[in-house]
Amino acid sequence: MKSRISTDLGDPRLIKLLKVEAQETGTSMKEALIRALEAYFAHRLETKALERASEEIFSEWNDPRDSDYDKL
């Protein structure tokens, strides 16, 4: 499935960073952008998974009897 996205990044610094990354890695700007997006979303998914796991772990700490300590 091919999709086409056209956008104005609005920040010349981002364009420059993208060009530099493409040059340093010997890829096109498109490939550099795709890799950056993949890394970003992989990190987001990992962060969300860790948040869900920590919610389960810390849920056992939710004890109404501790409310006095929570006020401190």
Side-chain angles (χ1 to χ4, degrees):
M1 178 175 130
K2 289 190 174 192
S3 296
R4 187 170 203 69
I5 296 175
S6 177
T7 185
D8 179 6
L9 295 178
D11 186 346
R13 182 182 56 94
L14 292 174
I15 302 277
K16 184 176 181 179
L17 289 170
L18 190 57
K19 285 180 181 179
V20 168
E21 179 65 20
Q23 285 178 332
E24 287 180 355
T25 58
T27 60
S28 69
M29 287 177 57
K30 176 184 174 181
E31 290 168 342
L33 180 59
I34 288 170
R35 284 201 343 257
L37 287 170
E38 287 172 341
Y40 170 80
F41 286 114
H43 180 263
R44 293 258 305 147
L45 291 172
E46 180 181 3
T47 300
K48 286 180 181 182
L50 289 172
E51 287 174 355
R52 283 191 298 274
S54 67
E55 284 176 4
E56 292 175 20
I57 292 168
F58 288 111
S59 67
E60 64 190 49
W61 288 15
N62 289 334
D63 189 336
R65 295 174 294 179
D66 292 334
S67 63
D68 290 336
Y69 294 105
D70 294 339
K71 295 174 188 175
L72 297 177

